[in-house]
Amino acid sequence: YDTKATSMWQQLRSKIPPGDTASVFLYEHGKHLYVMGTTGLSSALYHPLGFQPVPKIQEILDSGSGFMEISEEDLPQYAGDRIFMLLSTNSESRQATAELMDTSLWKSLPAARNGYVYLAEAERWNYADALTREWLLETLPQLIV
């Protein structure tokens, strides 16, 4: 796995400048906004040759937390150069996501302004098991075009 992951990130070097940051967000349980830490998709994104966490997410990683609930107002502190927005199966959560992405706050984020927002289904993308991690090695490069 480590060899495959290193190879994938090396292939993406032309699309991801060194030091580029990324964040993973998810609305779940209705209108609760979470930033992902040590679990799920973010665990595959943070790699020496891949994305780096922003300082506020690094704090979450250092604490060992899998995720943390944040307010929409705090979103800019957690938003990286690229945002992976996970889509819940919960209809109220999906509506909250759509509403957030229509706000001036969201549209002011560098990732949104630069077209670096990636939407992905949480039920497929937000796991850290071996099969999902292998699948991500094949699928992530297709998402980051």
Side-chain angles (χ1 to χ4, degrees):
Y1 173 84
D2 290 336
T3 301
K4 287 181 183 179
T6 297
S7 176
M8 179 202 69
W9 289 116
Q10 287 173 333
Q11 291 173 8
L12 287 173
R13 288 297 346 134
S14 64
K15 296 177 181 162
I16 303 171
D20 239 19
T21 58
S23 307
V24 181
F25 298 107
L26 167 67
Y27 270 101
E28 196 57 272
H29 309 294
K31 296 185 177 187
H32 296 272
L33 178 61
Y34 297 91
V35 59
M36 302 309 294
T38 61
T39 192
L41 175 59
S42 62
S43 66
L45 294 179
Y46 304 133
H47 184 276
L49 297 175
F51 294 110
Q52 303 305 305
V54 297
K56 291 296 270 183
I57 292 177
Q58 185 63 56
E59 291 175 16
I60 297 170
L61 297 172
D62 291 344
S63 76
S65 296
F67 55 89
M68 188 175 89
E69 185 172 2
I70 62 170
S71 69
E72 288 181 2
E73 294 78 28
D74 290 336
L75 188 63
Q77 298 175 54
Y78 293 90
D81 299 314
R82 308 212 184 204
I83 293 175
F84 293 81
M85 193 69 188
L86 299 173
L87 303 171
S88 172
T89 57
N90 177 287
S91 60
E92 186 180 4
S93 296
R94 282 182 97 92
Q95 181 62 35
T97 302
E99 289 170 4
L100 172 67
M101 294 178 73
D102 196 36
T103 65
S104 59
L105 173 69
W106 178 267
K107 293 174 183 176
S108 73
L109 298 173
R113 286 195 324 264
N114 295 325
Y116 291 136
V117 173
Y118 309 99
L119 303 177
E121 295 294 332
E123 66 183 30
R124 180 66 176 119
W125 286 76
N126 204 34
Y127 294 99
D129 63 276
L131 290 175
T132 302
R133 298 286 297 259
E134 285 281 335
W135 177 79
L136 285 172
L137 292 178
E138 297 172 16
T139 310
L140 194 57
Q142 298 169 21
L143 187 63
I144 302 172
V145 288

